[in-house]
Amino acid sequence: MARFLKHRDTDQAPGDPELAWRVLGLLNLYRLGVPSILAVLVAAASQPQTLGVAAPAFFFVTLAAWFASGVLCIGLLKRRWPNLQAQAVLHITFDLVAVTLLLLASAGVASGLGLLVILPVGAVSLLLRGRAATVVAAGAALAILGQQVIVFLAGLAESSDLTQAGLLGAVTFIVALAASPLARRLRESEALVRQK
């Protein structure tokens, strides 16, 4: 009875470890911090730069929307609704869309912003089971490659940047695949702790 009340009070399903919710919370801090830091860096820069070079206004709108998604996720995390898996998918969707749009506004992967997708993909891969982590990595790789093709066709990037985009996509796959065994070990350790 006490275990039931504990789960009911925290709105936590029996299969959702507290550590997983903390990972999502830290990922949300990333979602709040990165747009803020980028906005300050771009606003404070005195020289022309690559961040937002193709569409400066769109760049700032995307940063604001990404930050707003982090504010929205604070409420969802506090309520723990929807469940952990659904929130993980929602969080990575916000991040992938935001980074893809920032890349478009900055003329592609040469800006270096593509690296911002690696941490969210790795964190969410720890939370999702089985093929879901691979699907997330595939979505990230396709988003990066797709935006680079668009930027290349628009004449804003060199053909060599396509190789860089492909390598970044491969890195996201490696991160997701490396996180999967680690996630399995964490779940097994948690199951042993619960049994004891």
Side-chain angles (χ1 to χ4, degrees), residues 21-114:
W21 286 104
R22 287 183 185 161
V23 168
L24 274 183
L26 290 172
L27 184 58
N28 200 50
L29 285 176
Y30 177 83
R31 189 173 302 109
L32 293 168
V34 169
S36 303
I37 292 168
L38 286 175
V40 169
L41 287 175
V42 172
S46 58
Q47 301 175 14
Q49 54 186 339
T50 58
L51 299 181
V53 69
F58 185 66
F59 184 82
F60 281 105
V61 168
T62 302
L63 288 178
W66 198 14
F67 184 85
S69 73
V71 173
L72 170 71
C73 288
I74 291 172
L76 296 177
L77 285 167
K78 285 190 176 189
R79 291 185 183 150
R80 294 196 178 181
W81 179 89
N83 66 22
L84 181 69
Q85 300 296 313
Q87 281 207 38
V89 170
L90 183 67
H91 285 233
I92 194 64
T93 301
F94 284 147
D95 294 336
L96 287 179
V97 169
V99 172
T100 301
L101 294 177
L102 290 174
L103 284 168
L104 284 170
S106 301
V109 294
S111 65
L113 291 175

